[in-house]
Amino acid sequence: MKEKDESEEKMREEIKRERAEWEKQKLEGKTRREEEDEKRREKEQRVWDDFNEKLKQERERAERVKEDLQSKHEAEENKMKILMEKRNREREELIKKHEEEKERMEREKQGILEDLEKSLKEERNRREEQQKSFDEIQKVLEKQYEDELKKKQVDWREEHDREKEERKKKVCSDTDDPHQVTAYSKLETEYSEWSWSLHSAMMETENKLHNKIENEKMHIVKEINLQKELKKANEKVEKLMSEFFEKDTDADSVKQIITNCPEIKDIDILRDVKDILSETYEGASVNMRESRDIFSVQSYSEYVSFKKFPTKGIKEIVKDALGFAQTLKHEAPIRSLVKDVAQQSDRKIQSFNISKLGYNIRYIQQLTHYIKKRVTEHQEGQVKYVFKDEFFRDLVYSICMRSNKMITDQHRLFRDRNDPVIYVEKKRETYYSIFLKYCHGETPAAIFGEMICQKLKEPIEQSVYKKTARELTDEMRSNCPSLNGNRSKLEKHILKTLAEEEDFDKYMNYIVNPRDHFKSFIRDEVSQYITDKFSVSVLPKMKENIKLLQQKIMKAAHESTEHVQVNRGDVGLWLKSFTQQLSDELIFSEKDLSGVKLDDVDDFSLLEDVMNQKLSATMTDVSRELKTGKLDPKFRPDEILIDHLCQCCWVQCPFCGATCTNTIENHDGDHSVPLHRNNGINGWYYKGTTNLSVEICTSAVASDQSFYPNESDYTVLWKKYRKAGGVYEDWRITPDRSQPPYWKWFVCRFQKDLEKYYSKTFEGNGNIPEEWRKYTNHSAIECLDYSLE
């Protein structure tokens, strides 16, 4: 028991001790937590205090900023206030000055008015005095005028009667010719009789058959019965018709017209040239077979005779200096004359408007007189030669030969539009078609509708062709690489093509006659483009333009019908409205239907329906005929592009022959070109030798060498080439020793051809550098991309 009690006592002590230990640990943990909480609170307090301090600082800074802004704002307000006050003062001063100026102007105005009134008063008095004299003179003049007027009235009446008689002999438009009107009237009368005979026989037959049917004597009417009943009446009408057309006095409404109108014959330009030149040479026969194409001759030496001058001493003739001279010094001015005369002659020929007025031999006479005048003026200038007769003859012949096709084509257009036979044949078809309409009982509105469609055919052709040509030109300007830029870009393509083809004759044509070569190149490019793109571009454009034009025509017809119905008008008002709406689209007016009887046309809805039907057939004919391209050549895309790209400067460098690239003809300032050539290409050689020059203009003007200008015996330094005067002082040639390989390659490639052309050689001083021979066709073409930029 005692041991048990001791054990329990120990256990209680142990428990008490553990509890005390636990209490101690609990107290230590609480104390530790309190200390940690205190530290955390202190830390949080420090953070909060720091935050509050920063917040306080920010507030203070914000206050300072606010004070600064307020101060600045007040300063700005003060500044604005001062500025406004200043502006108000200035405004008041301006108003004051304006009022003063206004008062001054009023005073001046009043003074001017007073002076003017005084002047008018004086002028009025002077005029009153003049009027008295004038009235007396006027009475005398009125008497003279009355006498003169009476005399002129007599002359006018006689002239009118003569013109009236002349007009009766000519083919007039559509139906206003007296023969046509008379013949048509007779035919209309006879037609009325024929149709009535058939109609009367039909009514009689109808009455007979009706009676038989009612009397039950006939149950079925067969076609053979009708033919049998009408046979006699039909044979009678056919006989009358045959007699009318065989015995009618107007049966020959064509031979008389052709007889009374001059025949439009085919022309022979070269025959007329021969006749005119024979007259020029006082009746001497001119053999045109001996004439040469002056644009392709290599030298003009055979065309000139040199003027005689006093003999110079030997010292004045012999020159020791080695300089450049041009082959046949007179070649350049003569070639320039030939080109300019040819160009001006082309313009004269265009001004003749042959496609509208026809060809007349007087055009060749005018051309010949102009060429003669230019040749005479040239040789009377400061030149040392005169032209032989052959020069004038060959120049006239060559210009006319070159223009022969153009003149002939334009005259053919005129003949097709104005030849009496063709005209009458066209009218025959038109009148026969209208006659058939009458025979079929068509109304005046239906017939008038068909006539309008027939009249619209030619204007539609012209309108569609012009519009298609313009659109095609725009397309080529965008898609054709050679034609989608300026003249410099076009020239780059020309030079590339020449290098690819390697044709010496074409090269010389480009060098000697650049304008003609450009034209030829453009025509070839356009022709090739149209051939390649005809089915995918040209034809669709034509069809689309035909479709759009047809829609516009029918819209105009419909709106004209509405206009007439609203205004209760007649066919005259309809036609006026219709032509006015199409005036921007077609060359078609009311006068195109002059002489046509319109009084009976009153069904405008039917007129519109007939036009809609017939216009489709007309458009089909137009589409078919447009494919042949037989229209006025001046509306062709190539001519449009030539006019756009070739109306520029064509002056050539007096040294190398390169053409000025300025896009304005007769421009101000100097001529220039980005790519000069070897001047031996233009015939320059070393004087006293037969050696063609290998110098290029841009490098020559940077050298100390000299040249002999024109026909002179004195030298001029290349670097001072403008001192040579004349054509030399109009050019700007910039010194540049870099020489693109294009013309170096050309000289090497065509050395033999050039030597033969000029009867000289690239030897001695003109020996071709070996390094030039390394250039290839490819490198020559490649250099164009940077040298012609």
Side-chain angles (χ1 to χ4, degrees):
M1 248 342 251
K2 185 177 179 180
E3 290 177 353
K4 184 176 178 183
D5 291 336
E6 288 177 355
S7 177
E8 289 178 353
E9 183 65 25
K10 287 180 179 179
M11 188 178 292
R12 282 195 295 272
E13 286 293 333
E14 184 68 27
I15 292 171
K16 185 177 179 181
R17 198 167 44 252
E18 289 178 355
R19 183 178 294 170
E21 184 68 25
W22 180 79
E23 288 291 339
K24 182 181 179 182
Q25 290 176 354
K26 183 178 178 182
L27 180 60
E28 289 176 352
K30 182 178 179 183
T31 301
R32 188 169 57 252
R33 284 195 300 274
E34 287 178 351
E35 290 176 352
E36 291 174 353
D37 289 341
E38 183 65 24
K39 290 179 179 179
R40 186 172 60 254
R41 282 194 297 273
E42 289 176 355
K43 185 177 180 180
E44 289 176 351
Q45 185 62 41
R46 286 196 301 272
V47 172
W48 180 250
D49 291 342
D50 291 342
F51 174 76
N52 286 333
E53 182 65 25
K54 289 182 179 179
L55 182 62
K56 182 180 178 180
Q57 292 175 356
E58 287 295 324
R59 284 176 177 171
E60 290 175 352
R61 190 176 65 82
E63 287 294 329
R64 289 195 300 271
V65 172
K66 181 178 179 182
E67 290 174 358
D68 292 342
L69 288 174
Q70 187 172 359
S71 177
K72 289 181 180 179
H73 179 68
E74 290 175 355
E76 287 293 330
E77 284 186 342
N78 292 333
K79 187 177 180 181
M80 287 296 294
K81 186 176 180 181
I82 293 170
L83 183 62
M84 289 299 294
E85 290 175 353
K86 182 179 178 181
R87 288 186 176 178
N88 288 335
R89 287 196 301 272
E90 290 176 349
R91 183 169 176 272
E92 289 174 358
E93 290 176 358
L94 286 173
I95 292 173
K96 185 178 179 181
K97 288 181 180 179
H98 176 72
E99 292 296 331
E100 292 175 352
E101 183 68 17
K102 186 176 179 181
E103 291 176 1
R104 185 183 65 79
M105 291 179 66
E106 286 293 333
R107 288 194 300 272
E108 290 180 355
K109 181 180 177 182
Q110 187 63 32
I112 292 172
L113 288 174
E114 291 175 356
D115 292 341
L116 182 61
E117 186 175 355
K118 183 179 179 181
S119 299
L120 287 173
K121 187 176 180 180
E122 293 174 355
E123 181 68 17
R124 192 180 298 112
N125 294 334
R126 186 175 62 82
R127 286 183 178 274
E128 286 177 356
E129 293 178 358
Q130 289 179 346
Q131 186 66 33
K132 293 178 182 178
S133 302
F134 177 76
D135 290 341
E136 296 176 359
I137 296 172
Q138 188 177 18
K139 290 178 181 179
V140 176
L141 291 175
E142 285 178 353
K143 181 66 170 63
Q144 293 177 352
Y145 176 76
E146 288 177 1
D147 296 339
E148 184 69 21
L149 182 61
K150 290 179 182 179
K151 182 176 181 299
K152 285 188 176 181
Q153 285 177 341
V154 174
D155 295 338
W156 289 339
R157 174 56 60 188
E158 292 177 353
E159 180 67 20
H160 175 72
D161 292 339
R162 285 196 299 272
E163 290 180 356
K164 186 175 180 181
E165 290 299 320
E166 288 295 326
R167 285 198 298 270
K168 289 181 180 179
K169 297 178 181 179
K170 295 181 179 178
V171 178
C172 301
S173 61
D174 298 336
T175 59
D176 58 354
D177 184 271
H179 290 297
Q180 295 178 31
V181 174
T182 302
Y184 185 79
S185 178
K186 288 170 61 178
L187 178 60
E188 194 175 39
T189 302
E190 292 298 324
Y191 165 74
S192 178
E193 293 296 326
W194 300 333
S195 60
W196 172 250
S197 297
L198 292 174
H199 185 64
S200 178
M202 283 290 292
M203 289 192 298
E204 185 177 349
T205 300
E206 181 184 13
N207 186 52
K208 288 180 181 180
L209 295 176
H210 180 74
N211 291 338
K212 287 183 179 181
I213 292 171
E214 288 293 328
N215 294 325
E216 298 184 350
K217 299 297 183 181
M218 180 180 289
H219 300 285
I220 299 176
V221 179
K222 297 181 179 180
E223 184 177 349
I224 190 172
N225 299 124
L226 293 174
Q227 291 176 349
K228 183 178 179 181
E229 292 291 335
L230 293 173
K231 182 178 180 181
K232 185 176 181 181
N234 185 55
E235 289 177 348
K236 180 181 178 182
V237 170
E238 286 182 351
K239 182 180 179 182
L240 291 172
M241 289 178 66
S242 298
E243 290 177 353
F244 175 81
F245 287 111
E246 289 174 3
K247 299 179 181 180
D248 185 64
T249 56
D250 293 316
D252 293 330
S253 178
V254 177
K255 291 183 180 179
Q256 290 179 16
I257 291 175
I258 293 173
T259 302
N260 292 332
C261 290
E263 181 183 0
I264 301 178
K265 300 178 180 179
D266 290 334
I267 60 176
D268 188 339
I269 305 295
L270 300 183
R271 179 196 61 204
D272 292 345
V273 171
K274 178 182 177 181
D275 293 342
I276 292 170
L277 289 177
S278 296
E279 293 175 3
T280 303
Y281 293 114
E282 299 180 353
S285 178
V286 176
N287 187 357
M288 300 308 294
R289 293 182 181 179
E290 297 177 357
S291 299
R292 293 185 296 173
D293 182 8
I294 206 166
F295 301 110
S296 62
V297 296
Q298 297 181 6
S299 171
Y300 296 111
S301 60
E302 297 180 14
Y303 285 118
V304 298
S305 298
F306 291 95
K307 298 176 181 177
K308 294 182 179 180
F309 293 95
T311 305
K312 295 182 179 181
I314 297 178
K315 291 183 179 179
E316 296 179 63
I317 298 175
V318 178
K319 297 290 180 180
D320 294 328
L322 178 63
F324 298 90
Q326 193 173 16
T327 304
L328 298 176
K329 303 168 219 179
H330 53 271
E331 293 280 345
I334 296 177
R335 196 172 299 280
S336 177
L337 170 69
V338 170
K339 289 178 183 178
D340 188 58
V341 170
Q343 185 176 345
Q344 297 303 324
S345 296
D346 285 345
R347 292 179 178 175
K348 282 186 172 293
I349 292 171
Q350 291 290 350
S351 70
F352 294 151
N353 202 9
I354 295 172
S355 62
K356 295 291 179 65
L357 303 176
Y359 168 79
N360 193 301
I361 193 173
R362 70 172 181 271
Y363 296 150
I364 304 299
Q365 292 171 336
Q366 292 177 22
L367 205 60
T368 304
H369 292 156
Y370 168 74
I371 296 171
K372 184 68 174 178
K373 179 183 176 184
R374 288 295 305 275
V375 171
T376 303
E377 289 174 350
H378 180 85
Q379 66 183 4
E380 288 177 350
Q382 295 181 352
V383 295
K384 298 180 181 180
Y385 52 83
V386 292
F387 291 114
K388 297 178 182 178
D389 290 342
E390 289 81 358
F391 177 79
F392 170 68
R393 181 195 67 191
D394 287 357
L395 182 57
V396 172
Y397 168 79
S398 300
I399 289 174
C400 293
M401 185 68 181
R402 193 170 65 167
S403 304
N404 185 23
K405 185 177 184 304
M406 178 181 66
I407 295 175
T408 304
D409 289 344
Q410 290 190 6
H411 180 72
R412 188 178 294 113
L413 283 173
F414 170 79
R415 185 192 63 188
D416 292 345
R417 292 170 181 167
N418 298 275
D419 184 85
V421 176
I422 298 174
Y423 175 86
V424 173
E425 287 299 323
K426 287 181 179 178
K427 296 305 160 188
R428 186 198 301 275
E429 295 176 3
T430 301
Y431 290 140
Y432 182 68
S433 174
I434 295 172
F435 177 68
L436 289 179
K437 296 297 179 186
Y438 277 114
C439 291
H440 292 139
E442 296 284 359
T443 64
I447 295 170
F448 183 57
E450 180 162 340
M451 290 181 69
I452 289 178
C453 291
Q454 290 175 345
K455 290 289 185 183
L456 283 172
K457 184 178 178 181
E458 186 174 346
I460 288 172
E461 285 179 347
Q462 295 293 340
S463 177
V464 170
Y465 188 83
K466 291 178 187 177
K467 191 171 188 297
T468 303
R470 290 194 299 270
E471 291 175 350
L472 194 59
T473 303
D474 289 338
E475 181 180 305
M476 285 186 285
R477 290 277 295 158
S478 299
N479 300 338
C480 189
S482 62
L483 302 174
N484 66 356
N486 55 17
R487 195 186 74 170
S488 293
K489 187 174 181 181
L490 172 60
E491 186 162 21
K492 183 193 299 183
H493 281 274
I494 289 175
L495 290 173
K496 284 183 177 180
T497 303
L498 287 169
E500 289 166 355
E501 294 178 350
E502 297 191 14
D503 187 318
F504 180 73
D505 290 335
K506 288 185 178 180
Y507 257 115
M508 293 313 296
N509 181 57
Y510 163 76
I511 292 168
V512 177
N513 301 302
R515 192 166 186 262
D516 289 345
H517 192 87
F518 269 69
K519 287 183 176 182
S520 178
F521 183 84
I522 292 172
R523 291 191 180 104
D524 291 343
E525 288 289 280
V526 171
S527 177
Q528 187 62 48
Y529 188 90
I530 291 176
T531 301
D532 295 341
K533 302 288 185 180
F534 187 82
S535 59
V536 297
S537 182
V538 182
L539 193 57
K541 277 184 173 61
M542 284 186 177
K543 290 182 177 179
E544 179 63 20
N545 288 332
I546 288 173
K547 180 181 177 182
L548 291 174
L549 190 54
Q550 182 175 357
Q551 292 172 352
K552 289 178 181 179
I553 292 172
M554 289 313 304
K555 181 183 178 183
H558 180 68
E559 292 181 356
S560 298
T561 299
E562 291 182 342
H563 181 66
V564 169
Q565 291 172 347
V566 170
N567 294 278
R568 296 182 180 180
D570 57 5
V571 65
L573 181 62
W574 186 95
L575 184 59
K576 182 177 182 180
S577 173
F578 179 71
T579 54
Q580 282 180 344
Q581 292 184 64
L582 294 177
S583 60
D584 290 344
E585 302 291 335
L586 300 170
I587 302 176
F588 180 71
S589 62
E590 295 173 80
K591 69 179 183 180
D592 290 306
L593 289 163
S594 61
V596 177
K597 187 178 180 182
L598 305 176
D599 298 342
D600 297 333
V601 180
D602 53 8
D603 191 343
F604 300 106
S605 297
L606 176 61
L607 171 61
E608 192 176 335
D609 292 340
V610 170
M611 285 186 63
N612 192 26
Q613 177 186 355
K614 296 298 180 183
L615 198 58
S616 297
T618 301
M619 291 301 192
T620 301
D621 292 340
V622 170
S623 179
R624 182 170 56 252
E625 292 179 12
L626 281 173
K627 293 179 184 179
T628 63
K630 294 180 180 178
L631 291 171
D632 200 324
K634 68 181 179 182
F635 300 126
R636 296 193 320 228
D638 53 354
E639 294 302 322
I640 296 174
L641 286 168
I642 286 172
D643 186 63
H644 173 68
L645 292 169
C646 295
Q647 295 298 325
C648 49
C649 184
W650 290 101
V651 176
Q652 292 180 264
C653 173
F655 298 113
C656 70
T659 307
C660 173
T661 54
N662 198 297
T663 56
I664 301 175
E665 192 173 10
N666 299 320
H667 59 88
D668 294 331
D670 294 331
H671 302 294
S672 63
V673 63
L675 181 60
H676 282 272
R677 311 164 186 165
N678 175 301
N679 54 41
I681 295 172
N682 200 32
W684 282 78
Y685 67 102
Y686 294 91
K687 191 165 185 179
T689 73
T690 58
N691 301 330
L692 288 169
S693 168
V694 291
E695 289 292 337
I696 294 176
C697 302
T698 49
S699 60
V701 294
S703 71
D704 294 323
Q705 300 182 81
S706 303
F707 69 94
Y708 292 91
N710 300 326
E711 299 178 3
S712 66
D713 292 323
Y714 65 90
T715 59
V716 176
L717 287 173
W718 275 96
K719 61 177 59 176
K720 296 182 179 180
Y721 66 92
R722 288 182 187 264
K723 287 190 174 181
V727 294
Y728 299 97
E729 64 183 354
D730 296 332
W731 275 83
R732 184 179 72 254
I733 305 174
T734 306
D736 185 4
R737 293 191 179 278
S738 64
Q739 301 173 353
Y742 188 89
W743 292 107
K744 295 178 181 179
W745 166 81
F746 170 77
V747 170
C748 296
R749 169 63 181 83
F750 297 103
Q751 177 182 349
K752 298 299 182 184
D753 300 281
L754 287 167
E755 290 175 340
K756 181 179 178 182
Y757 189 87
Y758 289 113
S759 300
K760 288 179 172 52
T761 60
F762 286 101
E763 294 177 336
N765 293 315
N767 191 45
I768 299 174
E770 283 300 319
E771 63 180 27
W772 287 21
R773 302 191 185 279
K774 70 180 181 181
Y775 296 118
T776 64
N777 175 294
H778 177 72
S779 61
I781 293 174
E782 201 172 46
C783 84
L784 294 172
D785 290 328
Y786 63 84
S787 59
L788 281 178
E789 288 298 331

